[in-house]
Amino acid sequence: MNKLLLDVIILWIWQLTLVIAYNISAEWAAWGEYGNCSRPCGGGLANKTRTCLGASQTCPGTGIRYKVCNTLGCGSEGLFIRDKQCQSFNKVSIKDNYFNWVPYHSSAEPCALYCRTVETGFILKMQIRAWNGTACGKHGEGVCIGGRCRKVGCDDIVGSKRKLDPCGVCGGDGTSCDTARDHKKQHHEADVKRFHWDIGWSMCSKTCGKGLQVPYEVCKDSNTGLEVSSTFCPSLAKPSLPKTRECEESSSCAYRWHTSKWGLCSRTCGDGFKYRRVVCLKHHNSSTEHALDRNCIDVRPEGKAPCYLGDCPEWQTGPWSPCSVSCGYGQQKRKVVCQASLSELCYTEHKPATVQKCYAGKSCDLGGFQQDDSSVSEHDFFDDARLQDLFVLPRFELSTWGPCSVTCGVGYRHRNVTCIKDRQLVPISKCEGIEPHSKRECHQGKCPLTTSGDAAFVWRHRKFIPCSQTCGRGTQSSTLECVDVVSDRTVADFLCESLIKPGSITQYCNAFDCPPAWHVSEYGVCSVPCGGGRQSRDIECVQMTSNGDMETLPLYRCPDPVPLSERSCNLKFCQAEWNTGAWAECSVTCGMGFESRPVFCVKHVTNDLQVNVSDPECFGPRPPTTRPCHFGDCYELQQLPEIKERKGTFIQTKRTKRIPLYVGEKAIILPNQSVKIKCPVKNFQKKLIFWTKNRRLIPLVPGRVHVSSKGALKITRADPILDTGIFTCSAGLLHASVNLTFQTKREAKLQSNKILYTIFHANSNESNFQADGASKMKNTKYLHINSIDESSAYDYSSFTTSNWTECSEKCGWGTQTRIVTCNHVTDRFIRLLPEEECLQRGLEKPMSWRKCITEPECPTWMAGKWSECTDENCGKVGHSVQKRIVTCHYRNGTLAKAYKCSGERPPSQQHCKNPNCTAVWQTSKWSECTPLCGVKRKKLRTLSCVWVTTKLPAFNVCRNKAKPSVSKPCKPAPCRHSTCVDSSSYCDLARQLKMCRYQKFRRKCCKTCIRANIS
C-alpha cells in the first residue's frame, strides 16, 4: 500500500511539472530585417517579421511590419501603381469601344480601384480592392494593405505616427529653423516654381477608323517635363480646356479581341482567381466569325486576374488554464476568438471547446481508491488504460427506487443494479462486495374490496416493458393488471372496472454511455445542376452519455472505416441552350441599316467547360441575329476638301537656295537650309489653312518660320534644334504632315554615295561608276522635272533592287522575292518614291519574285502499323494508347531528315477503346502514430491513382473520384521520463544560452530542458 501511494505522489509531481512547463507565457523574438521591395518603381512594400516564442503561440500585437519603398514613378511617364492598374484595362473592349483609363480617387472607398475614361469622363469601379502598396488618402498620405487604408509616417513605416515638423524634419520639434511660417512659405514658393498645369490629349478612342481625342489637365514637373500626381499642383490655377477633336487610326479593323464578363472568384475568401473568355473575331460586312488568335495583332487582353474576397475566418485558441482543483477531477478553461473582420463569419458548430475536464494527478481519497461519476476526457494526462486501472475500479451503480407496484395493500419497489467501470457496463461479477438489493416490499394501506362472489380485485403494477434504448439512458413504463387479492392471480380487466385505474410508472433504464459511433448528415445540394458536381455532408464522431446528452468526440475514437464526406453528383450532360454575343455596330452611319450579333448553341460539358454544338440540339426558337438601326437622315455632301499628299522620302545631299517639300513626305535636310513646304488642298480656301509643329500653332505673321497667304509653310535657315519634328497642315478636319529631320554634310555624302553606287552598279553597262554621271544607264530616264535648278549635273529616275531572299521551299519548286524601290536621283537630293512614279515616267519595273528550286525531289511521310491495344498502355478511362513509327523517306527508300518532309506529320500515337482501362485510388497501410507521445498524434498513409489491371500509375485520371482520407487522429499518449534523454553533447551550452524555448533544442536536449524548467 505504501509503495502504491509513493508511486501516485511521484506521478502527481511529474504531471504538475508538465502543466507548469506547458503554460509558460509566450513572448516575441527580435524583429528581422526588411525584405526586398515588392515592386521596382511606382510604390511598393517591404516587410519584416518576428517570431512568437512559447508553447501557447499567443503573443500580443502583430508579427509583421510594413514599410513603403521605391516611391519614384516608373519610366519616362512617371507612372505609379494605381496608374498601371487602370492602364491594364486600356485593351479591354467595352461595347466594341476601347478607352484610356486614368485613376479616380474615391473618398468613400479609398482602397477600391476606381478608374475614369479620358475620352468621356465616365467613372467605373474596376476592382473591389486595389493592389497592396497602392497610395490612398486625400493627398496620398496612406497606403492600401488588405483593402484598408493604413496611415504612413514620414519615416515611410506603415502605422507610424511620426510627422514632419514645420522645419521639414521627420519627428522633429520645430526648433531647427527660424519660424515655421518662413519654412512653409519657402516650401510653397518652391512648389509653385517646380510644378505647373499643362494640357494633354488622350489616345484616339478607336483603334481603327475615325474617333475622338479629349483634352485633360496634367500636372508636370518643370525640371524633368514628366507628368506627376495632381497632388503636386493643388494650389495652382488650372488652364481652360479646348474642345474635343477628331482623330483617325489607319490600322486594320478586320480582327479584334472580344472579352466576356469576369466570372466569380475561385475562392470565397482569401486570394483566388477570376476568369473570362477572350476570343479573336473577324468583322466583315456587319457580321462576325471566330478567327485564330494570331490574326489579332493587338495585345491579347488578360483572361485571368487575381481576386480577393477578404481574409478567411478562423477560430484562434489560447492556452488551457491550470486545473481548477488540486486533487480529483476539475475543469480547465481557455479563450477562443474568431480571427475575421466580423465574428459572425466563423461557423459556431466548428468552434473548439472552451471548457474541458481535467484530473489533478491524485485522488482526494487515496486509501479507498474511489472515483466519482466524472470521466477523464481525451485531454487528461491519465488517458492510458493501464494507468486508469490504478485508480478506476468496478463499482455498483444504483438507480433510485421506483414507485410501489400497488396503490393499496402490499407491493414491491424496484431499482436497477449495474456494474460500471470507466463509464462502461461490465458483468455484475466484476464488482467486489455484496450485490445491493434490487427489490423491496412496500405497504400502501388496506385496499377497498371489489367483490364478485367470494373474490376481491385490485389494480397492481406488474413488470416493466423493455427499455426504449440499449444505452445512453432510456425509459421504460410499468404495465397494470387486474389481480385477484385472494389468489394473487391476474384476471380479466373488466373485474376492476369499478376501481380508479392508476397511472403507469415510468423510470430511467440503461443509464450508461453508449460506445462511440459515426453520425452523418444528409448530403447537401449538388454544386451544379448538370455537367458533374460535388455533394458534401458533415461527419462527426459522437457518443450518447448516461444522462442522455450527445457529446462530440475526436475522430480517432470511432471505429474504421471513416464514412465518405463527398461524392459526385449530376454527372449527366447539361441541356444545350442558346448563347448570344454582343450587337455589332450599325451597318450605316446615317439612315436605316442593320446590326448583327453571333448566336451559338452551346452545351456545358463540365462546370467550367462549354462547347459549341449543332443548332438542332437547342430547344426553343433561335434568337434573332439581326435588327434594324437608324442614325438619322442622310445629307449629301458635295465637293469635300481633299489634301493631295506625296508619299516618299526626301534626302538632301548638297545645299541649295531653297528646297520644295510636300506634305506626306519624310525629309532629311542639311542645317541652315531654307525650306518651303506645300499643302495642296482642293475645294478649300488656302488662306484658312493653318500649320502646327508638335501640336503647337505656327503664327501667320512674317518671321523665320511662318505661313504664307497661299497656305505654304516657309522656314528660313532651318535649325536642327528648333525645327526637328512633325509639321502638320490642317484644312478643316483634314490633316497631313511632314516629318523633318537633319543630317551633316558628311553623313549626307556617305548616304548618297551608297545609294548612287547601288543604282549605277545595278544599271550601268560599265563595271565602275564615274561620279560625273557620264555613264549611260539601263532602265533609267533623264528628267529635269522637279529639279531644284537647271545646273544639276545629273537627274535620273531609276528602279533599284535588294538581294533575292532564300527559296521558299526546301524541295521542289518555290519562289524568291526582293524589294524593288523607285528612286529620283540628282546631285542635289535623292527622293525615294512610290513605284507608280517610275512607271508613269515609262520605266520598266524589275521582277520582284521568281521561281527557284533547291532540291528536285521532295521526300514524303511513311507511317508503320499500329501496335496492339493492350492494358499496359492505358491513357484514359476506357481507352489505351496505340503507337507506330513515322519516318521521312525518298521514293527510292532512302531515309531523309524530318524537316525536309512537307505537310503535316502523321500522328505517331492514338487512343483505342479498352474497357479494362479503369482507374482507382490505391492506399498504403496506415503508418505508426507520430509523434510517439503527445496530444496531436496521427496516422498517415499514401494515396495514389493506379490502373486496375496493371497497378501502374494513372496520375490525375482519378481527380473526379472521391478521395479516401490520408490521415486520421491517434489516441493521445503521455510522454514519459524514460524516453526523455539528451542526444547532443552541447546540451549544457543550450541551457546556458536559454535555447530550450525552441522546439528543436527541446527535442535534442529533452532531459536538460526539463531540469532547467524545474529549477
Side-chain angles (χ1 to χ4, degrees), residues 28-49:
W28 289 110
W31 284 102
E33 298 294 330
Y34 279 104
N36 295 330
C37 194
S38 59
R39 291 180 181 84
C41 58
L45 289 175
N47 66 70
K48 63 179 180 181
T49 58

Side-chain angles (χ1 to χ4, degrees), residues 703-735:
R704 190 183 66 83
V705 180
H706 68 279
V707 181
S708 67
S709 59
K710 295 184 178 181
L713 178 66
K714 294 183 178 181
I715 303 176
T716 304
R717 298 182 64 81
D719 189 334
I721 298 177
L722 300 177
D723 300 325
T724 298
I726 298 176
F727 293 86
T728 304
C729 76
S730 300
L733 298 178
L734 301 180
H735 310 280

Side-chain angles (χ1 to χ4, degrees), residues 578-599:
W578 294 110
N579 193 0
T580 59
W583 289 104
E585 295 180 355
C586 192
S587 59
V588 297
T589 56
C590 63
M592 182 65 69
F594 292 93
E595 56 185 7
S596 61
R597 65 176 178 183
V599 177

Side-chain angles (χ1 to χ4, degrees), residues 530-569:
C530 56
R534 305 292 295 173
Q535 280 179 302
S536 61
R537 63 179 178 179
D538 296 328
I539 297 176
E540 292 180 310
C541 179
V542 298
Q543 183 180 36
M544 182 72 75
T545 62
S546 59
N547 58 4
D549 295 333
M550 187 73 72
E551 286 189 358
T552 302
L553 303 178
L555 298 181
Y556 73 87
R557 296 286 296 273
C558 284
D560 287 335
V562 180
L564 294 177
S565 62
E566 285 190 352
R567 70 178 181 184
S568 302
C569 57

Side-chain angles (χ1 to χ4, degrees), residues 147-163:
R148 295 176 55 193
C149 189
R150 306 276 297 275
K151 289 187 177 181
V152 181
C154 60
D155 54 356
D156 292 337
I157 295 177
V158 178
S160 172
K161 296 182 179 180
R162 301 186 69 181
K163 297 181 179 179

Side-chain angles (χ1 to χ4, degrees), residues 290-334:
H290 285 269
L292 297 176
D293 288 356
R294 64 171 177 264
N295 293 325
C296 287
I297 60 176
D298 291 337
V299 178
R300 189 179 192 273
E302 292 292 335
K304 174 183 177 183
C307 53
Y308 183 80
L309 299 182
D311 296 333
C312 293
E314 181 182 5
W315 288 109
Q316 298 288 338
T317 60
W320 287 107
S321 65
C323 198
S324 60
V325 296
S326 59
C327 66
Y329 296 90
Q331 285 187 337
Q332 285 181 301
K333 296 183 180 180
R334 65 178 176 181

Side-chain angles (χ1 to χ4, degrees), residues 34-47 66-75 78-82 84 132-135 143 152 155-157:
Y34 279 104
N36 295 330
C37 194
S38 59
R39 291 180 181 84
C41 58
L45 289 175
N47 66 70
Y66 295 93
K67 179 179 180 181
V68 178
C69 53
N70 293 346
T71 56
L72 294 178
C74 298
L79 299 179
F80 293 89
I81 298 180
R82 198 178 288 269
K84 288 193 171 184
N132 286 345
T134 304
V143 65
V152 181
D155 54 356
D156 292 337
I157 295 177

